[in-house]
Amino acid sequence: MYRHLLVALDDSPLGDATVTRSVEFARSAGARITFFHAAPDLAATGEGALLYTLDQEAFAQEAAGAASAVLVKAAAAAGAAGVSCGTESRTSDQPAQAIVEAAHRHGCDLVFVSAHGRVPGLRGWLRHSVTQHLLQLADLPVLVSAVESNDACAPAARALGIVAGEHRAIAAVLQGLQHLVRAARLPGQQLDVGLAAEMVRYLREFPGTQHHPKEETVLFRLLRQRTHELDHVLLELERQHGQEQRRVQALADALSRYDSSEAASLEAVGDAVQQLAGTVWEHMGMEEALVFPAARRYLSEGDWSEVAQAFTTHDDPLRELQPGLPLERLFRHVAAALLRKDMAGVAPAAASATHA
């Protein structure tokens, strides 16, 4: 039986689905995972070269941000399932070769991938040609868990992959807050208030103004049109949306009162983080255990297209929270900071990170 999976990811909805499949596989096999993300050299693109010329710091953040976001979400999913994992990102214009080299570097005995196949218009470097090249190069077993173009349930899988990916982003930020509080309790340490404030800002703005409203106005609405089986569940989930935002505000209030010289103020922040985390874990667990399976049973292909469209199109996707830091980049910034903390030893119990 396989003991260590190298799971190759991109930043598409298929990548989110690959995380779900690989975590389930690893848990059933009692294996650990190294999540691996390889991206082309941004400086080799026209846009990247211009960004590098104008602002080298912004270039570095942009180059690292997408990989950090992918890997932090994957680690959150593995941690929630109790699967031990590590992460690595590499810059490479030969992704198939980079995957094989990473598998050997980490002592993996199986490469786990999915392929886009011939589906047009999907972003991401792990396409059919790369997977095909990987199969030609690899000198260890490769499991292609799904080919998107051959998947009869692809619209549903794509839509639910997007929703689940957003759940993992929220979970990763919450786990990061828990780690910050634990680190601050160590002798001679104090809370990283700046990073914690960015996490709270993300939790206030993204779930409250984008994720939850889309769930209610699209996914929940379509389910109510197709069945009354989940009416009471959907009402409870909507109640939890409101409760979650109240607890985010309570955390913000506790953070504003934090004083590094007063242990009680750190405990207040820690209590607020735990209360919020408990609410969110319960909410996501209920939604993924009850709503997702029912949606697969009742929603049509047209419904799934509407869900996917809603979760990939924002009315104002670049609304600024502060100059130069729109919501999408805010999560990337937080994710990169979490991986840096991870390297410094403030890491999830089931995850570690390697970067190059």
Side-chain angles (χ1 to χ4, degrees):
M1 182 62 72
Y2 300 110
R3 308 302 301 170
H4 190 172
L5 282 55
L6 191 289
V7 179
L9 300 174
D10 65 7
D11 58 353
S12 73
L14 182 61
D16 289 323
T18 303
V19 170
T20 299
R21 294 188 184 104
S22 65
V23 168
E24 291 173 352
F25 183 92
R27 182 168 58 181
S28 67
R32 73 183 307 270
I33 292 174
T34 293
F35 290 111
F36 180 71
H37 180 277
D41 185 0
L42 183 60
T45 67
E47 181 180 358
L50 177 61
L51 179 60
Y52 181 83
T53 301
L54 295 175
D55 189 337
Q56 293 188 20
E57 183 178 353
F59 169 84
Q61 291 177 351
E62 186 67 21
S68 298
V70 169
L71 296 173
V72 165
K73 289 194 294 183
V83 173
S84 177
C85 79
T87 65
E88 182 184 9
S89 62
R90 290 266 168 166
T91 297
S92 175
D93 289 318
Q94 297 180 313
Q97 183 66 41
I99 291 169
V100 174
E101 292 173 355
H104 286 295
R105 191 162 51 249
H106 292 281
C108 299
D109 51 11
L110 177 70
V111 175
F112 190 105
V113 296
S114 297
H116 287 294
R118 293 176 295 279
V119 179
L122 288 178
R123 299 166 53 197
W125 59 270
L126 189 60
R127 299 185 185 277
H128 181 63
S129 58
V130 173
T131 307
Q132 198 169 42
H133 191 201
L134 173 64
L135 292 171
Q136 294 169 345
L137 284 177
D139 54 358
L140 69 165
V142 177
L143 173 60
V144 182
S145 69
V147 178
E148 192 172 40
S149 58
N150 296 338
D151 186 355
C153 299
R158 179 170 181 263
L160 287 180
I162 295 168
V163 180
E166 294 190 353
H167 282 180
R168 290 169 188 150
I170 296 166
V173 172
L174 281 168
Q175 288 179 353
L177 281 164
Q178 291 174 319
H179 303 325
L180 289 184
V181 171
R182 282 200 293 270
R185 290 180 174 138
L186 297 175
Q189 300 299 312
Q190 61 183 28
L191 186 67
D192 186 338
V193 176
L195 180 54
E198 291 193 49
M199 294 178 178
V200 170
R201 187 182 308 120
Y202 177 82
L203 291 171
R204 175 188 289 122
E205 295 295 331
F206 176 68
T209 67
Q210 293 188 15
H211 179 80
H212 295 336
K214 289 176 188 177
E215 286 186 330
E216 293 180 8
T217 61
V218 182
L219 180 59
F220 294 1
R221 171 181 58 81
L222 289 170
L223 265 174
R224 285 186 170 111
Q225 290 175 359
R226 303 293 178 240
T227 179
H228 293 294
E229 176 184 316
L230 292 180
D231 284 355
H232 65 293
V233 173
L234 299 180
L235 282 173
E236 172 59 18
L237 291 172
E238 289 167 345
R239 184 195 69 80
Q240 291 174 1
H241 284 166
Q243 182 185 45
E244 179 180 322
Q245 286 306 295
R246 289 190 294 274
R247 292 199 164 165
V248 169
Q249 184 58 50
L251 173 56
D253 293 342
L255 193 60
S256 70
R257 295 190 295 268
Y258 171 72
D259 183 338
S260 60
S261 66
E262 297 181 4
S265 68
L266 176 60
E267 293 311 308
V269 172
D271 289 344
V273 168
Q274 290 307 110
Q275 289 179 10
L276 173 60
T279 298
V280 173
W281 303 149
E282 178 185 1
H283 174 82
M284 290 193 297
M286 180 182 296
E287 188 170 330
E288 295 187 15
L290 300 177
V291 173
F292 283 17
R296 284 185 176 275
R297 290 197 303 273
Y298 292 112
L299 298 192
S300 67
E301 185 171 339
D303 292 336
W304 286 120
S305 296
E306 185 176 347
V307 173
Q309 177 68 16
F311 277 85
T312 53
T313 303
H314 304 293
D315 292 336
D316 187 7
L318 298 182
R319 179 169 56 83
E320 301 278 337
L321 297 176
Q322 64 185 57
L325 200 62
L327 277 174
E328 190 173 336
R329 290 187 181 177
L330 175 60
F331 177 68
R332 291 185 178 190
H333 175 77
V334 168
L338 288 176
L339 286 184
R340 287 196 298 272
K341 291 283 184 183
D342 194 9
M343 292 178 69
V346 185
S352 62
T354 306
H355 304 273

